[in-house]
Amino acid sequence: MHQDSRKTPRSSVSSTPSPFVTERPDSGYYPTHALDRAFKANLARMTAGVTPAGLTSVYFEWLTHLALSPGKQVELGEKALRKSLRLGQYVSRRMHDPATPPCIEPMPQDRRFDDEAWQQWPYNLIYQSFLLTQQWWHNATTDVEGLPPQREHVVNFLTRQLLDRWSPSNIPWLNPEVTAATLQSGGKNLVDGWQNVIEDWERNVSGKPPVGAERFHVGEELAVTPGKVVYRNHLIELIQYTPNTEQVHAEPILVVPAWIMKYYILDLTPGKSVVEYLVEQGYTVFMISWRNPGSEDRDLGMEDYRRLGPMAALDVVTEITGQSRVHGVGYCLGGTLLSIAAAGMARDGDERLASLTTLATQVDFTEAGELMLFIGESQVSYLENMMWDQGYLDGYQMAGAFQILRSNDLVWSRMVHNYLLGQRQPMNELMAWNADITRLPYRMHSEYLRHLFLDNDLASGRYQVEHRPVAIQNIRVPILAVATIKDHVAPWQSVYKVHLLTDVDEVTFLLTSGGHNAGIISEPGHPGRHFQMRTQHQGEPYVDPLSWRDTMPEQEGSWWPAWQEWLETHSSGKTAPPPMGSERFPPLEDAPGSYVRQP
C-alpha cells in the first residue's frame, strides 16, 4: 500500500525481527553494565570513535614480539647507523655541490615537500632527516617475527600517523613556506589563520557546515535534475526523473545510493550528474533518497533497509513503468545492499533485475583496505556502546576514521593551508556534499560491521535474508563492477573479487582513475581521466588483479559512455517514456524531495 508523507506507523518499520542481532537486555538492567556503556560512550566522543584499548593492545603485542627478537633489534641498530651515515654523506656532498640529489625521496603521493624552498639549507636537511626517520620506523614495525600480519598493518599505520603529526611541514618555524609567508606579510598569515581556527571551532561546536558550504543549496545549486517524488515510506523517498528524449530504453534504471551520505553525489550539479547523463541518454531513472535517521530509529536493521529500500522501490518502479525488468545500480554501501537484494531475489526466483551495476562496491570484505585496521571486536564493541547511548552513529563521529585514513590530505595539509598560511581552500560542490553529514542507526551499523566486515558472511554464504542464507553465486544477471584506482574505502583489488564469487555468463570489470567519490563522478570532458575495462565470460580462466591491470589497454576519457554502451547492450529496445507516477503512486512533490533536506 502506498504511503504518503503524513505519517508512517512506527510499528510498520520492522515487521520481522532481524535475523542477526541477539536482543540484549536494557542498558539499565545490569547497573554495572550500564556504567560500562556510559563510560565508554562518553570516552568514544573524545577519541573520534577509535578505541584506545584496541590500540594499546596492538602496541603491546608489537613491543613484546620485538623484545623477543634480538636479531631484529640488531638489524634496526644497523639500519639506524647506516641512515645516519647516509645523511652525513649527503650533507658533506651538498656543501661542495648544491646540485647533489636528495638521499631519500618522498613517496609519489607525498606532496608535503614539493615546494622548491624545501631544497634550501637548512630545510633540506630537516625534511631528509624526517623521511629517513619515517623509513626507520617502517622497518621497525614490519617483518617482526610472530606478529600477525593484520596487527602489523595496524601498528605500522598508526606509527605513520603519529610521525605525520610531527612532520616538519606541520611546524611553523620548520616549514619554509610558512616562514616566508610570515616574513612577507608581517605575520598577517598567522592572524588570519587564527581567525580561521576560531571560525571553524565555532561552526563545529554549533553544528554549522564548513565555511563556504552555505553557497550550495540542495534543489538550487545541487540535485537539480527535474523529477518527482513518487513514493515515500519511513526509510526512503523514491524519485522518478523527468525524461527529455522522445523515446527511452524499455528497461528503467533503479539507483540505490549509500545512506552513509546524501544521495545527490550522483546528481551533483549540471554537467557533473550521473542522473542527468543517464536521462540524456534516454533512460528512465529512479533514485532512492534515504531518510536521515534519529534516535527513534535505533532498531532499524539491515533487513529493514533491504525491504523498505530496493525491494519496495522495485515494486513501485515496475508498476509505474509497466516493465518487468529493471537495471539495478548501487553505489558503495548501496551497491552492497543491492547485491544482497539481488542474491535474495535469485534464491527466490524473482527475475525483475535485467542487469546489476555496482559502483565502488565490496561484497567480500577480507581485504577491505586500511579501513579494516579500525574494524575488530574491540573497535566494534566500542562503537556499539557509543551508538547504544544515542541510538545512532553521528556522521561527524564516523568522519574521524575516514580522515585518519588520509590524514596528510584531509587533516595536516588543510591545517597548514588554512591555519599556518591563513588561506581558505575554496569550497566546491563535492566538498559541500561531503559536509552534508548523515546518521546511521545503531542496529543497522552494528549488523553491517559484524556480519559484513568482521565475519564476511555475504561472501561466505552465511548472510541471511528473511531468515535464510543467500549467496552472491546465485545471481545470474550480467554484472558490471566499477572500481577506482585510489579508493581508500573500497580498494579496487577487493572489488575485483566479484570474479571469484559469481557464476554469471559475463562479469565486466571497469577500473577508473580517481578516488572513491571523484572517480565515480567522472563526467565526459573531465581532464586527466582514463579507465580500463574487460568482460570475462563463463569458462574463461581467472586473471589475478595485478596481471589484469598490467595487461588491459588504457582508454582515455570518462568511463560513463562505456557504461552507457554496456547498459544499451543489455536493454531490449526503445519505447515511449512512462508517465510520471501512476494512479497508485501519484507524484507527491518535486525532486529532490524532503528527506534529502533533513538535517
Side-chain angles (χ1 to χ4, degrees):
M1 181 176 180
H2 175 54
Q3 298 172 359
D4 62 25
S5 60
R6 289 186 289 272
K7 182 171 286 189
T8 301
R10 185 65 187 90
S11 60
S12 70
V13 172
S14 184
S15 60
T16 59
S18 168
F20 295 127
V21 174
T22 301
E23 292 294 339
R24 302 184 182 185
D26 184 85
S27 59
Y29 186 78
Y30 300 116
T32 54
H33 292 179
L35 177 61
D36 287 347
R37 284 192 179 278
F39 174 78
K40 293 176 182 177
N42 284 284
L43 182 62
R45 294 186 179 94
M46 295 186 289
T47 62
V50 179
T51 171
L55 303 186
T56 302
S57 66
V58 168
Y59 267 104
F60 181 78
E61 186 174 0
W62 164 70
L63 282 171
T64 301
H65 283 288
L66 185 60
L68 297 175
S69 304
K72 180 70 173 180
Q73 296 173 37
V74 171
E75 176 190 335
L76 292 176
E78 292 175 346
K79 286 183 179 292
L81 179 60
R82 287 201 300 268
K83 292 181 190 303
S84 298
L85 293 174
R86 186 173 163 190
L87 183 63
Q89 290 174 347
Y90 166 74
V91 172
S92 177
R93 291 171 182 169
R94 176 71 187 229
M95 291 175 65
H96 296 89
D97 182 9
T100 300
C103 64
I104 181 172
E105 294 284 356
M107 298 292 287
Q109 68 273 17
D110 188 350
R111 316 289 296 182
R112 290 173 293 182
F113 310 111
D114 283 357
D115 194 277
E116 186 61 30
W118 284 103
Q119 303 309 318
Q120 306 304 315
W121 182 271
Y123 301 108
N124 55 349
L125 177 61
I126 293 171
Y127 96 86
Q128 291 279 282
S129 177
F130 171 76
L131 291 179
L132 287 170
T133 301
Q134 193 173 48
Q135 189 181 68
W136 184 89
W137 275 104
H138 172 77
N139 299 144
T141 54
T142 55
D143 296 326
V144 179
E145 186 175 352
L147 188 65
Q150 202 275 341
R151 309 289 273 183
E152 177 183 288
H153 293 157
V154 173
V155 72
N156 178 261
F157 175 81
L158 293 173
T159 301
R160 191 167 71 245
Q161 304 310 306
L162 290 173
L163 289 170
D164 285 343
R165 164 63 183 87
W166 297 106
S167 166
S169 60
N170 299 334
I171 302 173
W173 53 89
L174 298 181
N175 187 326
E177 298 175 74
V178 176
T179 54
T182 303
L183 291 173
Q184 291 170 6
S185 68
K188 185 177 182 298
N189 60 305
L190 298 179
V191 174
D192 292 342
W194 179 248
Q195 291 175 342
N196 291 342
V197 170
I198 297 300
E199 185 175 23
D200 288 349
W201 176 83
E202 187 274 331
R203 284 175 172 264
N204 185 51
V205 297
S206 61
K208 296 178 182 178
V211 174
E214 62 273 3
R215 295 189 295 107
F216 296 91
H217 303 89
V218 174
E220 297 179 23
E221 292 81 17
L222 306 168
V224 297
T225 303
K228 300 287 185 182
V229 175
V230 294
Y231 173 74
R232 179 184 291 121
N233 62 29
H234 184 79
L235 197 53
I236 71 165
E237 288 181 334
L238 184 64
I239 301 170
Q240 179 183 0
Y241 289 95
T242 306
N244 63 5
T245 55
E246 292 185 2
Q247 286 197 316
V248 296
H249 295 276
E251 288 78 11
I253 294 175
L254 171 63
V255 183
V256 183
W259 53 88
I260 288 179
M261 300 293 287
K262 301 291 181 70
Y263 84 86
Y264 63 87
I265 178 65
L266 301 175
D267 185 25
L268 205 54
T269 56
K272 296 182 179 181
S273 167
V274 175
V275 170
E276 177 191 52
Y277 178 80
L278 290 173
V279 170
E280 288 175 348
Q281 303 307 309
Y283 291 94
T284 302
V285 180
F286 291 81
M287 172 74 74
I288 286 178
S289 174
W290 298 99
R291 182 173 177 268
N292 198 7
S295 298
E296 71 279 6
D297 299 307
R298 62 183 302 126
D299 292 325
L300 283 174
M302 285 289 290
E303 179 63 11
D304 295 307
Y305 272 76
R306 182 197 69 88
R307 184 173 54 83
L308 296 175
M311 299 312 297
L314 270 172
D315 293 338
V316 178
V317 170
T318 52
E319 175 158 330
I320 289 176
T321 63
Q323 298 293 330
S324 59
R325 306 271 282 172
V326 177
H327 293 301
V329 178
Y331 175 48
C332 187
L333 181 52
T336 304
L337 182 68
L338 183 59
S339 299
I340 292 170
M345 294 169 68
R347 180 198 65 189
D348 298 336
D350 187 336
E351 299 181 346
R352 286 180 292 174
L353 286 181
S355 72
L356 180 63
T357 300
T358 60
L359 310 177
T361 293
Q362 298 176 96
V363 290
D364 184 310
F365 290 82
T366 52
E367 297 181 37
E370 289 184 331
L371 193 59
M372 283 298 293
L373 303 180
F374 297 93
I375 306 299
E377 179 58 40
S378 176
Q379 178 62 39
V380 172
S381 176
Y382 195 64
L383 285 174
E384 285 176 339
N385 284 312
M386 182 168 61
M387 293 188 295
W388 182 285
D389 179 58
Q390 58 196 21
Y392 56 80
L393 182 66
D394 190 273
Y396 292 102
Q397 297 162 339
M398 178 180 58
F402 288 99
Q403 288 183 336
I404 292 174
L405 290 180
R406 297 177 57 200
S407 60
N408 276 339
D409 296 331
L410 301 180
V411 179
W412 305 124
S413 64
R414 179 188 172 197
M415 183 198 74
V416 171
H417 196 270
N418 288 0
Y419 304 151
L420 300 184
L421 295 176
Q423 302 170 358
R424 283 288 189 192
Q425 184 178 1
M427 179 71 65
N428 60 35
E429 60 272 9
L430 191 58
M431 294 166 64
W433 165 81
N434 197 53
D436 197 357
I437 301 295
T438 59
R439 297 176 291 273
L440 304 177
Y442 159 74
R443 185 174 210 152
M444 182 284 303
H445 198 50
S446 176
E447 291 175 352
Y448 169 62
L449 292 177
R450 288 191 175 278
H451 299 286
L452 293 175
F453 268 95
L454 273 186
D455 298 336
N456 203 32
D457 285 346
L458 182 58
S460 304
R462 296 188 301 268
Y463 192 96
Q464 293 189 22
V465 168
E466 295 179 342
H467 305 286
R468 291 185 294 152
V470 297
I472 299 297
Q473 186 181 24
N474 291 336
I475 298 174
R476 288 292 180 267
V477 298
I479 295 175
L480 172 64
V482 179
T484 65
I485 194 71
K486 296 181 180 179
D487 201 326
H488 290 264
V489 180
W492 74 268
Q493 296 97 329
S494 181
V495 178
Y496 188 87
K497 287 189 172 186
V498 68
H499 289 93
L500 300 173
L501 297 173
T502 58
D503 282 337
V504 299
D505 292 337
E506 62 173 77
V507 175
T508 302
F509 185 73
L510 191 154
L511 180 62
T512 181
S513 56
H516 186 72
N517 298 320
I520 299 301
I521 310 308
S522 182
E523 70 282 358
H526 194 295
R529 292 301 189 206
H530 53 84
F531 67 94
Q532 298 165 279
M533 181 178 181
R534 179 182 181 271
T535 297
Q536 179 168 313
H537 297 278
Q538 193 175 46
E540 294 181 351
Y542 172 75
V543 179
D544 69 272
L546 294 181
S547 297
W548 186 96
R549 186 188 63 182
D550 292 341
T551 56
M552 285 302 104
E554 197 170 89
Q555 303 181 51
E556 295 299 321
S558 167
W559 59 271
W560 290 6
W563 178 35
Q564 191 279 135
E565 292 176 8
W566 184 88
L567 285 171
E568 187 172 15
T569 300
H570 297 91
S571 300
S572 60
K574 296 289 188 73
T575 185
M580 296 295 292
S582 65
E583 181 177 353
R584 187 181 175 202
F585 301 109
L588 302 175
E589 61 176 304
D590 290 337
S594 301
Y595 281 1
V596 73
R597 292 187 169 98
Q598 290 177 322

